Amino acid sequence: MARTVESAAALNPFAIAQLQFDTAARLLNLDSRLRAVLREPVRELHVSLPVRMDDGDVKVFKGFRVQYNDARGPAKGGIRFHPEETIDTVRALAAWMTWKTATVNVPFGGAKGGVICDPKRMSKSELERMTRRYASEILPIIGPSMDIPAPDVYTDAQTMAWIMDTYAMTVGHSAHGVVTGKPVSIGGSAGRSEATARGLLYVVEEACKLKKISLRGASVAIQGFGNAGATAARLFAEKKAKIIALGDTRGAVTNPRGIDPIKAIRYKERSGTVVGMPGASRFSNDELLTMKCDILIPAALENVITLHNAEAVKARIVAEAANGPTTPHADEILARRGITVLPDILANAGGVTVSYFEWVQNQEGLMWDVDEVNARLQKIMVRAFMEMVDTMRKHHVPPRAGAMILAVNRVAEATLVRGLFP
Ligand code: NAD
Protein backbone atom coordinates (compact mmCIF):
# COMPACT_ATOMS: atom_id res chain seq x y z
CA MET A 1 0.00 0.00 0.00
CA ALA A 2 1.30 3.49 -0.85
CA ARG A 3 2.29 5.59 2.15
CA THR A 4 0.04 8.59 2.69
CA VAL A 5 1.68 10.16 5.73
CA GLU A 6 5.24 10.34 6.98
CA SER A 7 6.18 8.75 10.31
CA ALA A 8 6.86 11.02 13.28
CA ALA A 9 10.59 10.22 12.93
CA ALA A 10 10.52 11.29 9.28
CA LEU A 11 8.86 14.58 10.28
CA ASN A 12 11.55 15.41 12.84
CA PRO A 13 12.82 18.78 11.51
CA PHE A 14 16.46 18.01 12.37
CA ALA A 15 16.28 14.62 10.62
CA ILE A 16 14.92 16.49 7.59
CA ALA A 17 17.71 19.10 7.75
CA GLN A 18 20.31 16.31 7.93
CA LEU A 19 18.72 14.47 5.00
CA GLN A 20 18.84 17.64 2.91
CA PHE A 21 22.49 18.07 3.89
CA ASP A 22 23.27 14.43 2.99
CA THR A 23 21.79 14.93 -0.49
CA ALA A 24 23.96 17.98 -1.13
CA ALA A 25 27.05 16.31 0.36
CA ARG A 26 26.57 13.30 -1.91
CA LEU A 27 26.14 15.45 -5.01
CA LEU A 28 29.26 17.41 -4.04
CA ASN A 29 31.15 14.20 -3.36
CA LEU A 30 32.17 15.69 -0.02
CA ASP A 31 34.88 13.94 2.01
CA SER A 32 33.31 11.75 4.72
CA ARG A 33 35.24 13.48 7.56
CA LEU A 34 34.03 16.88 6.39
CA ARG A 35 30.49 15.49 6.19
CA ALA A 36 30.74 14.39 9.81
CA VAL A 37 31.86 17.90 10.85
CA LEU A 38 29.09 19.73 8.97
CA ARG A 39 26.28 17.34 9.89
CA GLU A 40 26.05 18.36 13.57
CA PRO A 41 25.77 21.63 15.51
CA VAL A 42 29.03 22.89 17.02
CA ARG A 43 27.48 24.12 20.26
CA GLU A 44 24.21 23.83 22.20
CA LEU A 45 23.13 25.55 25.37
CA HIS A 46 20.10 24.33 27.34
CA VAL A 47 18.79 26.75 29.95
CA SER A 48 16.17 26.77 32.71
CA LEU A 49 14.44 30.08 33.25
CA PRO A 50 12.67 30.72 36.56
CA VAL A 51 10.27 33.62 35.99
CA ARG A 52 8.05 35.45 38.45
CA MET A 53 4.53 35.51 37.00
CA ASP A 54 2.07 38.36 37.57
CA ASP A 55 0.15 36.34 40.20
CA GLY A 56 3.30 35.96 42.31
CA ASP A 57 3.91 32.34 41.31
CA VAL A 58 7.26 31.23 39.84
CA LYS A 59 7.25 29.26 36.60
CA VAL A 60 10.30 27.56 35.11
CA PHE A 61 10.61 27.74 31.31
CA LYS A 62 13.02 25.72 29.21
CA GLY A 63 15.10 27.42 26.55
CA PHE A 64 17.84 26.64 24.03
CA ARG A 65 20.46 28.33 21.91
CA VAL A 66 22.09 26.26 19.19
CA GLN A 67 25.07 27.47 17.18
CA TYR A 68 25.21 25.16 14.20
CA ASN A 69 28.26 26.49 12.43
CA ASP A 70 30.45 29.61 12.49
CA ALA A 71 33.10 28.78 9.88
CA ARG A 72 32.09 31.73 7.69
CA GLY A 73 31.47 34.31 10.42
CA PRO A 74 29.60 34.91 13.68
CA ALA A 75 26.63 32.62 14.25
CA LYS A 76 23.31 34.26 13.34
CA GLY A 77 19.70 33.31 13.82
CA GLY A 78 16.35 34.12 15.32
CA ILE A 79 14.69 33.35 18.64
CA ARG A 80 11.32 31.61 18.67
CA PHE A 81 8.85 31.53 21.56
CA HIS A 82 6.44 28.64 21.00
CA PRO A 83 4.57 26.10 23.15
CA GLU A 84 5.69 23.25 20.87
CA GLU A 85 9.32 24.27 20.56
CA THR A 86 11.76 21.34 20.72
CA ILE A 87 15.53 21.07 20.70
CA ASP A 88 15.37 19.31 17.32
CA THR A 89 13.36 22.17 15.80
CA VAL A 90 15.97 24.62 17.07
CA ARG A 91 18.79 22.42 15.71
CA ALA A 92 17.08 22.26 12.31
CA LEU A 93 16.45 26.00 12.21
CA ALA A 94 20.12 26.61 13.16
CA ALA A 95 21.27 24.30 10.35
CA TRP A 96 18.99 26.05 7.85
CA MET A 97 20.38 29.43 9.01
CA THR A 98 23.89 28.15 8.22
CA TRP A 99 22.88 27.15 4.70
CA LYS A 100 20.82 30.34 4.30
CA THR A 101 23.63 32.79 5.14
CA ALA A 102 25.87 30.81 2.79
CA THR A 103 23.26 30.79 -0.03
CA VAL A 104 23.03 34.58 -0.03
CA ASN A 105 26.75 34.77 0.76
CA VAL A 106 26.66 37.06 3.78
CA PRO A 107 29.56 36.57 6.23
CA PHE A 108 27.69 34.77 9.00
CA GLY A 109 27.25 31.26 10.29
CA GLY A 110 23.97 29.84 11.55
CA ALA A 111 22.25 29.65 14.94
CA LYS A 112 18.79 29.58 16.46
CA GLY A 113 17.20 29.96 19.86
CA GLY A 114 13.92 29.03 21.38
CA VAL A 115 11.92 29.04 24.60
CA ILE A 116 9.06 26.63 25.25
CA CYS A 117 6.26 28.97 26.29
CA ASP A 118 2.90 30.24 25.10
CA PRO A 119 3.36 33.98 24.55
CA LYS A 120 -0.34 34.40 23.71
CA ARG A 121 -1.12 33.46 27.33
CA MET A 122 1.52 35.66 28.94
CA SER A 123 1.34 39.34 29.88
CA LYS A 124 3.85 41.80 28.44
CA SER A 125 5.65 42.09 31.77
CA GLU A 126 5.88 38.28 32.11
CA LEU A 127 7.31 38.11 28.60
CA GLU A 128 9.81 40.84 29.42
CA ARG A 129 11.03 39.05 32.56
CA MET A 130 11.31 35.73 30.72
CA THR A 131 13.13 37.32 27.77
CA ARG A 132 15.61 39.12 30.04
CA ARG A 133 16.28 35.94 32.03
CA TYR A 134 16.80 34.01 28.78
CA ALA A 135 19.13 36.75 27.48
CA SER A 136 21.07 36.63 30.72
CA GLU A 137 21.44 32.82 30.53
CA ILE A 138 22.66 32.79 26.92
CA LEU A 139 24.78 35.93 27.40
CA PRO A 140 28.12 34.07 27.66
CA ILE A 141 27.75 32.80 24.11
CA ILE A 142 26.18 35.78 22.31
CA GLY A 143 27.78 39.04 21.17
CA PRO A 144 28.30 41.13 18.02
CA SER A 145 31.23 38.99 16.87
CA MET A 146 30.05 35.70 18.36
CA ASP A 147 26.35 35.07 17.86
CA ILE A 148 23.67 37.60 16.94
CA PRO A 149 19.98 36.78 17.66
CA ALA A 150 16.99 38.22 15.74
CA PRO A 151 13.19 37.84 15.84
CA ASP A 152 11.32 34.74 14.70
CA VAL A 153 7.87 33.30 15.44
CA TYR A 154 6.17 35.16 18.34
CA THR A 155 9.18 37.41 19.00
CA ASP A 156 9.58 40.92 17.60
CA ALA A 157 11.52 44.19 17.71
CA GLN A 158 10.49 44.72 21.37
CA THR A 159 11.93 41.30 22.30
CA MET A 160 15.21 42.32 20.66
CA ALA A 161 15.22 45.65 22.53
CA TRP A 162 14.95 43.77 25.88
CA ILE A 163 17.78 41.42 24.89
CA MET A 164 20.00 44.29 23.76
CA ASP A 165 19.33 46.20 26.97
CA THR A 166 20.01 43.15 29.17
CA TYR A 167 23.28 42.55 27.32
CA ALA A 168 24.34 46.23 27.51
CA MET A 169 23.51 46.50 31.24
CA THR A 170 25.55 43.37 31.95
CA VAL A 171 28.66 44.14 29.89
CA GLY A 172 28.58 47.81 30.90
CA HIS A 173 28.58 49.47 27.49
CA SER A 174 26.23 49.84 24.55
CA ALA A 175 26.38 47.02 22.05
CA HIS A 176 23.90 47.64 19.27
CA GLY A 177 25.28 44.82 17.11
CA VAL A 178 24.35 42.08 19.64
CA VAL A 179 20.89 41.64 18.07
CA THR A 180 19.22 42.59 14.79
CA GLY A 181 15.58 43.31 14.07
CA LYS A 182 15.68 45.98 16.79
CA PRO A 183 13.43 49.06 16.79
CA VAL A 184 14.89 51.75 14.48
CA SER A 185 15.17 54.12 17.48
CA ILE A 186 17.92 51.94 18.98
CA GLY A 187 19.90 51.07 15.87
CA GLY A 188 17.49 48.90 13.91
CA SER A 189 17.72 49.14 10.14
CA ALA A 190 15.24 50.81 7.86
CA GLY A 191 13.50 48.08 5.88
CA ARG A 192 14.23 45.22 8.33
CA SER A 193 10.64 44.58 9.40
CA GLU A 194 9.53 43.91 5.82
CA ALA A 195 12.82 42.41 4.57
CA THR A 196 11.81 38.73 4.71
CA ALA A 197 8.73 39.34 2.57
CA ARG A 198 10.53 41.78 0.26
CA GLY A 199 13.34 39.30 -0.36
CA LEU A 200 10.68 36.68 -1.10
CA LEU A 201 9.06 39.02 -3.60
CA TYR A 202 12.39 39.58 -5.38
CA VAL A 203 13.04 35.85 -5.86
CA VAL A 204 9.41 35.15 -6.85
CA GLU A 205 9.74 37.90 -9.50
CA GLU A 206 12.80 36.11 -10.92
CA ALA A 207 11.09 32.71 -10.84
CA CYS A 208 8.03 34.18 -12.57
CA LYS A 209 10.26 35.45 -15.39
CA LEU A 210 11.68 31.94 -15.87
CA LYS A 211 8.23 30.31 -15.74
CA LYS A 212 6.68 33.06 -17.88
CA ILE A 213 4.09 33.95 -15.24
CA SER A 214 2.97 37.56 -14.95
CA LEU A 215 2.99 38.61 -11.29
CA ARG A 216 0.42 41.25 -12.18
CA GLY A 217 -2.90 39.41 -11.82
CA ALA A 218 -1.27 36.22 -10.48
CA SER A 219 -3.30 34.52 -7.73
CA VAL A 220 -1.56 34.16 -4.36
CA ALA A 221 -2.51 32.08 -1.30
CA ILE A 222 -0.69 32.72 1.98
CA GLN A 223 -0.67 30.50 5.08
CA GLY A 224 0.50 32.42 8.17
CA PHE A 225 -0.37 36.06 8.71
CA GLY A 226 2.44 37.39 10.90
CA ASN A 227 5.57 39.31 10.06
CA ALA A 228 6.44 37.27 6.95
CA GLY A 229 2.94 36.41 5.69
CA ALA A 230 1.09 39.69 6.28
CA THR A 231 3.93 41.75 4.81
CA ALA A 232 4.11 39.41 1.81
CA ALA A 233 0.37 39.90 1.26
CA ARG A 234 0.85 43.67 1.25
CA LEU A 235 3.92 43.68 -1.02
CA PHE A 236 2.49 41.19 -3.53
CA ALA A 237 -0.75 43.20 -3.67
CA GLU A 238 1.31 46.35 -4.37
CA LYS A 239 2.62 44.49 -7.44
CA LYS A 240 -1.02 43.90 -8.48
CA ALA A 241 -0.99 40.20 -7.65
CA LYS A 242 -4.37 38.97 -6.36
CA ILE A 243 -4.38 37.67 -2.79
CA ILE A 244 -7.09 35.00 -2.93
CA ALA A 245 -6.57 33.34 0.46
CA LEU A 246 -5.03 34.03 3.88
CA GLY A 247 -4.74 31.82 6.92
CA ASP A 248 -3.57 31.90 10.53
CA THR A 249 -3.81 29.61 13.57
CA ARG A 250 -7.59 30.01 13.78
CA GLY A 251 -8.33 29.08 10.15
CA ALA A 252 -8.33 30.67 6.71
CA VAL A 253 -10.41 32.96 4.52
CA THR A 254 -10.79 33.16 0.76
CA ASN A 255 -12.17 35.41 -1.94
CA PRO A 256 -11.45 34.48 -5.57
CA ARG A 257 -11.84 38.15 -6.55
CA GLY A 258 -9.08 39.18 -4.13
CA ILE A 259 -8.66 40.19 -0.47
CA ASP A 260 -7.36 43.63 0.48
CA PRO A 261 -4.34 42.87 2.74
CA ILE A 262 -4.51 46.25 4.48
CA LYS A 263 -8.10 45.50 5.55
CA ALA A 264 -6.99 42.02 6.66
CA ILE A 265 -4.11 43.49 8.71
CA ARG A 266 -6.46 46.00 10.38
CA TYR A 267 -9.05 43.28 11.07
CA LYS A 268 -6.37 41.01 12.60
CA GLU A 269 -5.10 43.86 14.78
CA ARG A 270 -8.59 44.25 16.21
CA SER A 271 -9.69 40.64 16.49
CA GLY A 272 -6.45 38.61 16.64
CA THR A 273 -7.26 36.64 13.47
CA VAL A 274 -8.20 37.09 9.81
CA VAL A 275 -11.06 34.64 10.26
CA GLY A 276 -14.38 36.47 10.14
CA MET A 277 -13.13 39.47 8.18
CA PRO A 278 -15.77 41.01 5.93
CA GLY A 279 -15.54 40.31 2.19
CA ALA A 280 -14.01 36.83 2.48
CA SER A 281 -15.52 33.46 3.26
CA ARG A 282 -14.14 31.06 5.80
CA PHE A 283 -12.38 27.83 4.88
CA SER A 284 -9.54 25.75 6.31
CA ASN A 285 -5.75 25.93 6.16
CA ASP A 286 -5.79 22.46 4.53
CA GLU A 287 -7.99 23.80 1.74
CA LEU A 288 -5.75 26.85 1.40
CA LEU A 289 -2.66 24.70 0.84
CA THR A 290 -4.28 22.73 -1.98
CA MET A 291 -6.34 25.44 -3.67
CA LYS A 292 -5.77 26.42 -7.29
CA CYS A 293 -3.43 29.40 -7.36
CA ASP A 294 -0.30 30.59 -9.14
CA ILE A 295 1.78 31.19 -6.03
CA LEU A 296 1.44 29.44 -2.67
CA ILE A 297 3.31 31.06 0.22
CA PRO A 298 3.60 28.94 3.36
CA ALA A 299 4.52 31.53 6.01
CA ALA A 300 3.74 29.78 9.30
CA LEU A 301 5.56 26.68 10.55
CA GLU A 302 7.34 23.48 9.44
CA ASN A 303 5.86 20.38 7.80
CA VAL A 304 2.67 21.75 6.25
CA ILE A 305 3.24 20.34 2.74
CA THR A 306 3.69 16.64 3.30
CA LEU A 307 3.08 13.24 1.75
CA HIS A 308 -0.53 13.73 2.86
CA ASN A 309 -1.30 16.73 0.59
CA ALA A 310 1.57 17.17 -1.91
CA GLU A 311 -0.29 15.41 -4.72
CA ALA A 312 -3.18 17.84 -4.22
CA VAL A 313 -1.13 21.08 -4.30
CA LYS A 314 -2.20 23.06 -7.37
CA ALA A 315 0.11 26.07 -7.19
CA ARG A 316 2.65 26.67 -9.94
CA ILE A 317 5.21 28.12 -7.53
CA VAL A 318 5.61 27.35 -3.82
CA ALA A 319 7.60 30.18 -2.23
CA GLU A 320 8.77 29.14 1.25
CA ALA A 321 8.54 32.16 3.53
CA ALA A 322 8.43 29.75 6.49
CA ASN A 323 11.38 27.57 7.40
CA GLY A 324 10.96 23.89 6.61
CA PRO A 325 7.33 23.92 5.38
CA THR A 326 7.88 21.14 2.81
CA THR A 327 8.94 17.62 3.79
CA PRO A 328 11.48 15.71 1.62
CA HIS A 329 8.75 13.32 0.37
CA ALA A 330 6.55 16.26 -0.59
CA ASP A 331 9.54 17.93 -2.26
CA GLU A 332 9.97 14.90 -4.53
CA ILE A 333 6.28 14.87 -5.43
CA LEU A 334 6.18 18.60 -6.19
CA ALA A 335 9.34 18.33 -8.34
CA ARG A 336 7.86 15.40 -10.29
CA ARG A 337 4.67 17.42 -10.87
CA GLY A 338 6.64 20.38 -12.25
CA ILE A 339 5.84 22.70 -9.33
CA THR A 340 8.73 25.05 -8.60
CA VAL A 341 9.60 25.14 -4.89
CA LEU A 342 11.64 28.21 -4.00
CA PRO A 343 13.43 26.84 -0.94
CA ASP A 344 13.38 28.55 2.46
CA ILE A 345 17.17 28.97 2.54
CA LEU A 346 16.86 31.32 -0.43
CA ALA A 347 13.22 32.45 -0.41
CA ASN A 348 13.14 33.84 3.15
CA ALA A 349 16.79 34.94 3.28
CA GLY A 350 15.81 38.60 2.86
CA GLY A 351 15.40 38.79 6.65
CA VAL A 352 18.92 37.71 7.47
CA THR A 353 20.31 39.77 4.61
CA VAL A 354 18.90 43.00 6.03
CA SER A 355 19.91 41.78 9.49
CA TYR A 356 23.43 41.69 8.05
CA PHE A 357 22.95 45.28 6.80
CA GLU A 358 21.75 46.26 10.28
CA TRP A 359 24.83 44.71 11.88
CA VAL A 360 27.15 46.43 9.36
CA GLN A 361 25.48 49.80 10.06
CA ASN A 362 25.80 49.21 13.84
CA GLN A 363 29.47 48.25 13.58
CA GLU A 364 30.30 51.22 11.34
CA GLY A 365 27.94 53.84 12.81
CA LEU A 366 26.07 54.18 9.51
CA MET A 367 22.38 54.84 8.81
CA TRP A 368 21.14 53.79 5.37
CA ASP A 369 17.76 54.90 4.11
CA VAL A 370 15.12 52.38 3.05
CA ASP A 371 15.81 52.84 -0.68
CA GLU A 372 19.47 52.01 -0.20
CA VAL A 373 18.59 48.96 1.95
CA ASN A 374 16.06 47.66 -0.60
CA ALA A 375 18.41 48.19 -3.55
CA ARG A 376 21.19 46.29 -1.78
CA LEU A 377 18.73 43.56 -0.78
CA GLN A 378 17.47 43.14 -4.33
CA LYS A 379 21.03 42.85 -5.66
CA ILE A 380 21.88 40.08 -3.18
CA MET A 381 18.61 38.15 -3.64
CA VAL A 382 18.75 38.24 -7.44
CA ARG A 383 22.42 37.22 -7.46
CA ALA A 384 21.70 34.29 -5.11
CA PHE A 385 18.73 33.23 -7.24
CA MET A 386 20.90 33.25 -10.39
CA GLU A 387 23.66 31.29 -8.65
CA MET A 388 21.08 28.73 -7.50
CA VAL A 389 19.73 28.38 -11.05
CA ASP A 390 23.28 27.92 -12.44
CA THR A 391 23.94 25.21 -9.84
CA MET A 392 20.62 23.48 -10.63
CA ARG A 393 21.52 23.38 -14.31
CA LYS A 394 25.03 22.12 -13.66
CA HIS A 395 23.87 19.28 -11.38
CA HIS A 396 20.41 18.67 -12.94
CA VAL A 397 18.66 19.07 -9.58
CA PRO A 398 15.58 20.94 -8.26
CA PRO A 399 15.94 24.37 -6.58
CA ARG A 400 16.40 23.15 -2.98
CA ALA A 401 19.23 20.83 -3.90
CA GLY A 402 20.72 23.62 -6.05
CA ALA A 403 20.71 26.08 -3.16
CA MET A 404 22.00 23.43 -0.73
CA ILE A 405 24.91 22.51 -3.03
CA LEU A 406 25.82 26.19 -3.33
CA ALA A 407 25.63 26.68 0.43
CA VAL A 408 27.28 23.48 1.62
CA ASN A 409 30.12 24.03 -0.82
CA ARG A 410 30.76 27.52 0.63
CA VAL A 411 30.74 26.30 4.24
CA ALA A 412 32.92 23.29 3.32
CA GLU A 413 35.45 25.55 1.61
CA ALA A 414 35.60 27.85 4.65
CA THR A 415 36.04 24.88 6.97
CA LEU A 416 38.83 23.37 4.88
CA VAL A 417 40.78 26.58 4.43
CA ARG A 418 40.63 27.32 8.18
CA GLY A 419 41.94 23.85 8.95
CA LEU A 420 41.48 21.76 12.05
CA PHE A 421 42.28 23.29 15.44
CA PRO A 422 44.44 22.37 17.32
P1 NAD B 1 4.99 35.53 13.32
O1 NAD B 1 4.94 35.10 14.72
O2 NAD B 1 5.04 37.00 13.03
O3 NAD B 1 3.73 34.93 12.52
C1 NAD B 1 3.44 33.58 12.48
C2 NAD B 1 2.09 33.40 11.79
O4 NAD B 1 1.85 32.03 11.56
C3 NAD B 1 0.91 33.91 12.61
O5 NAD B 1 0.00 34.57 11.75
C4 NAD B 1 0.24 32.65 13.13
O6 NAD B 1 -1.14 32.80 13.31
C5 NAD B 1 0.54 31.69 11.99
N1 NAD B 1 0.52 30.30 12.41
C6 NAD B 1 1.20 29.73 13.43
N2 NAD B 1 0.90 28.44 13.52
C7 NAD B 1 0.03 28.17 12.52
C8 NAD B 1 -0.65 27.02 12.09
N3 NAD B 1 -0.48 25.85 12.72
N4 NAD B 1 -1.48 27.12 11.03
C9 NAD B 1 -1.66 28.31 10.40
N5 NAD B 1 -1.03 29.43 10.75
C10 NAD B 1 -0.21 29.37 11.80
O7 NAD B 1 6.21 34.76 12.67
P2 NAD B 1 7.05 35.16 11.37
O8 NAD B 1 8.25 35.90 11.81
O9 NAD B 1 6.16 35.71 10.33
O10 NAD B 1 7.57 33.70 10.93
C11 NAD B 1 6.80 32.84 10.11
C12 NAD B 1 7.73 31.86 9.42
O11 NAD B 1 8.69 32.60 8.67
C13 NAD B 1 8.54 30.97 10.38
O12 NAD B 1 8.77 29.73 9.79
C14 NAD B 1 9.86 31.73 10.49
O13 NAD B 1 10.90 30.89 10.90
C15 NAD B 1 9.99 32.22 9.08
N6 NAD B 1 10.93 33.32 8.91
C16 NAD B 1 10.71 34.52 9.53
C17 NAD B 1 11.62 35.53 9.36
C18 NAD B 1 11.44 36.90 9.97
O14 NAD B 1 12.26 37.81 9.68
N7 NAD B 1 10.43 37.15 10.77
C19 NAD B 1 12.75 35.35 8.55
C20 NAD B 1 12.92 34.13 7.91
C21 NAD B 1 12.00 33.13 8.11
Side-chain angles (χ1 to χ4, degrees), residues 80-82 84 93 97 100 112 120 150-156 192-197 223-230 247-251 268 272-273 285 298-302 304 320-325 344 347-352 355:
R80 183 178 286 192
F81 291 168
H82 199 276
E84 272 136 50
L93 291 163
M97 281 306 297
K100 191 179 302 182
K112 204 79 183 190
K120 287 183 177 172
D152 192 74
V153 175
Y154 301 150
T155 56
D156 57 16
R192 173 60 183 90
S193 62
E194 63 173 39
T196 302
Q223 187 212 26
F225 204 64
N227 176 294
D248 58 33
T249 34
R250 304 234 205 122
K268 182 156 177 140
T273 176
N285 271 298
L301 294 175
E302 309 81 42
V304 295
E320 294 184 336
N323 286 303
D344 46 9
N348 69 36
V352 75
S355 273

Side-chain angles (χ1 to χ4, degrees), residues 10 16 70 83 85 129 139 145 154 178 201 215 217 219 233 244 253 277 294 298 303 320 322 389 400 405 412:
I16 290 175
D70 60 0
E85 191 66 304
R129 288 192 291 274
L139 199 122
S145 51
Y154 301 150
V178 67
L201 172 69
L215 193 53
S219 52
I244 58 165
V253 289
M277 71 171 288
D294 294 307
N303 294 341
E320 294 184 336
V389 171
R400 188 182 320 279
I405 291 170

